[in-house]
Amino acid sequence: IMAITQAMCTSFKAEILDEQHDLVADTLKIALFTSSASLGASTTAYSTSNEVSGTGYSAGGETLTSKAVSTTGTTAHFDAADPTWTSASFTARGALIYNSTNSDKAIAVLDFGGDFTVSSGTFKIIFPAAGANAIIRID
């Protein structure tokens, strides 16, 4: 059974300790996937397998912009501008944030909790603000 499970990828946790990612300087992308995808903590890299296809979507997804790393108390967090696909027609069940500068290494899997369909419209993922609910957070 295929499934998308929200997680910070385990390989990413080890790679940040080994200085393999610079979340601000590197090019980070977010790709969308269908309900047939199998993504979770064990995902190590971006793959086109079961990636969304449709009008307004290009393989590999969108580049994240306005990236920032900050801290609140003892928690570090990452934030970026909300990725947006315009004039789009497709259905997505989840997403993968990955580092296209560093061999497409996986960072985090997003589970939308169900299929979301856009038809000749705008598909936007709203990242929570930096802080307790940041899209990527290390406590």
Side-chain angles (χ1 to χ4, degrees):
I1 295 175
M2 301 296 185
I4 296 175
T5 305
Q6 183 134 336
M8 182 182 301
C9 299
T10 304
S11 58
F12 171 70
K13 294 174 187 177
E15 290 159 5
I16 58 172
L17 295 177
D18 196 29
E19 300 180 30
Q20 295 186 40
H21 296 272
D22 183 332
L23 298 186
V24 176
D26 292 349
T27 299
L28 304 186
K29 298 190 83 175
I30 185 165
L32 302 177
F33 291 85
T34 69
S35 59
S36 297
S38 183
L39 301 169
S42 64
T43 301
T44 59
Y46 161 76
S47 163
T48 59
S49 180
N50 296 303
E51 187 173 6
V52 161
S53 64
T55 303
Y57 185 85
S58 297
E62 290 291 312
T63 298
L64 294 180
T65 61
S66 303
K67 300 171 296 178
V69 172
S70 56
T71 59
T72 303
T74 60
T75 301
H77 29 80
F78 169 84
D79 195 17
D82 298 338
T84 303
W85 291 263
T86 57
S87 301
S89 295
F90 55 76
T91 299
R93 175 65 169 75
L96 176 69
I97 297 172
Y98 67 97
N99 187 334
S100 69
T101 298
N102 188 359
S103 305
D104 293 340
K105 291 183 177 185
I107 294 173
V109 174
L110 307 181
D111 176 4
F112 299 160
D115 281 345
F116 283 81
T117 300
V118 60
S119 181
S120 300
T122 299
F123 188 92
K124 183 177 192 177
I125 299 173
I126 301 174
F127 286 165
N133 296 314
I135 199 70
I136 299 171
R137 181 182 78 242
I138 300 174
D139 295 318

